[in-house]
Amino acid sequence: MSINPTIKTLKSIAILAVILLLGGGIWWLWRQPFEPAAIEHGNRIDFSPQQIQSIRDIGQWEFLAITDEELVDTTRRRLFSDDHLAHIYYGTLRLGIDLQQLKDEWVVVRQDTIFLTLPPVGLLDQHFIDEARTRSFFEAGRWSAADREAMYRRAERLMRAHALTPQNLKTAEANAEEQVRKLMHTMGYNEVIISFAR
């Protein structure tokens, strides 16, 4: 059986084309410089607007709690007898940062270093006296609601003075730095520079 010369020529051309393509591909690969494949761990997370908002949405972040107990008394002088009132107040003052106060430029990323400017450490809750635990220690005479409110305000001022000391604020800042730095390390940032807004 004879093969048509045209078909034989076409087969030869097709085989030659395949050989040329294979040879060209091998030559091109051989000319490329060899670089080992880089494996990117991808463990650093860049901040998107949504992530920044989700951090703001955390709200208040507590770093130090101070439990206080204050005895507050007052005396009112009268002609024949004195009125006395003494109460014991209990409270827990929580120091931390309010992430709702983050400024727009609070985070700056340069390569694998992240710079954070956090809100100042302060009192998270202004209503820190536990009224359910307030006890009347001594009471003699007649006292109005305004008198009792004045004592309550004195107890508040005393607790603030004892809790919001430079040492306690410094301790809360140190705790904040440690916890925020750990969070950033888990997000893949090796160098974390933290400062607090004033």
Side-chain angles (χ1 to χ4, degrees), residues 1-166:
M1 183 175 184
S2 64
I3 298 175
N4 188 335
T6 307
I7 295 175
K8 190 173 183 183
T9 306
L10 288 175
K11 281 185 179 179
S12 300
I13 292 172
I15 292 170
L16 184 59
V18 169
I19 291 170
L20 286 174
L21 283 173
L22 285 174
I26 292 169
W27 177 82
W28 182 82
L29 287 173
W30 179 73
R31 297 269 302 159
Q32 298 302 312
F34 175 74
E35 293 181 10
I39 299 173
E40 292 199 16
H41 296 288
N43 57 355
R44 193 185 89 188
I45 301 171
D46 290 328
F47 281 91
S48 67
Q50 292 81 11
Q51 287 169 318
I52 290 174
Q53 186 57 47
S54 68
I55 290 173
R56 279 198 176 102
D57 290 343
I58 291 171
Q60 296 182 335
W61 195 347
E62 180 187 319
F63 298 109
L64 185 66
I66 299 125
T67 303
D68 195 9
E69 175 183 329
E70 297 290 342
L71 172 64
V72 179
D73 63 347
T74 188
T75 302
R76 186 167 49 212
R77 304 290 178 190
R78 291 187 177 273
L79 184 59
F80 298 108
S81 65
D82 296 337
D83 294 341
H84 297 284
L85 183 62
H87 280 180
I88 299 175
Y89 298 89
Y90 300 90
T92 302
L93 294 89
R94 304 180 190 284
L95 304 184
I97 59 176
D98 186 351
L99 295 171
Q100 293 286 344
Q101 298 175 2
L102 286 172
K103 305 293 184 188
D104 290 337
E105 64 282 357
W106 74 280
V107 58
V108 176
V109 178
R110 293 193 189 118
Q111 296 176 346
D112 64 347
T113 301
I114 187 166
F115 299 85
L116 304 174
T117 303
L118 301 177
V121 169
L123 189 60
L124 294 177
D125 185 2
Q126 304 300 319
H127 306 288
F128 47 80
I129 291 181
D130 185 350
E131 295 185 49
R133 294 183 63 200
T134 298
R135 296 286 177 264
S136 176
F137 182 70
F138 183 79
E139 187 169 342
R142 299 183 63 158
W143 298 94
S144 68
D147 295 327
R148 296 174 194 280
E149 179 68 16
M151 286 187 60
Y152 182 92
R153 297 301 169 201
R154 276 179 58 200
E156 272 189 337
R157 289 193 297 273
L158 287 168
M159 287 186 183
R160 284 176 193 270
H162 293 150
L164 298 176
T165 63

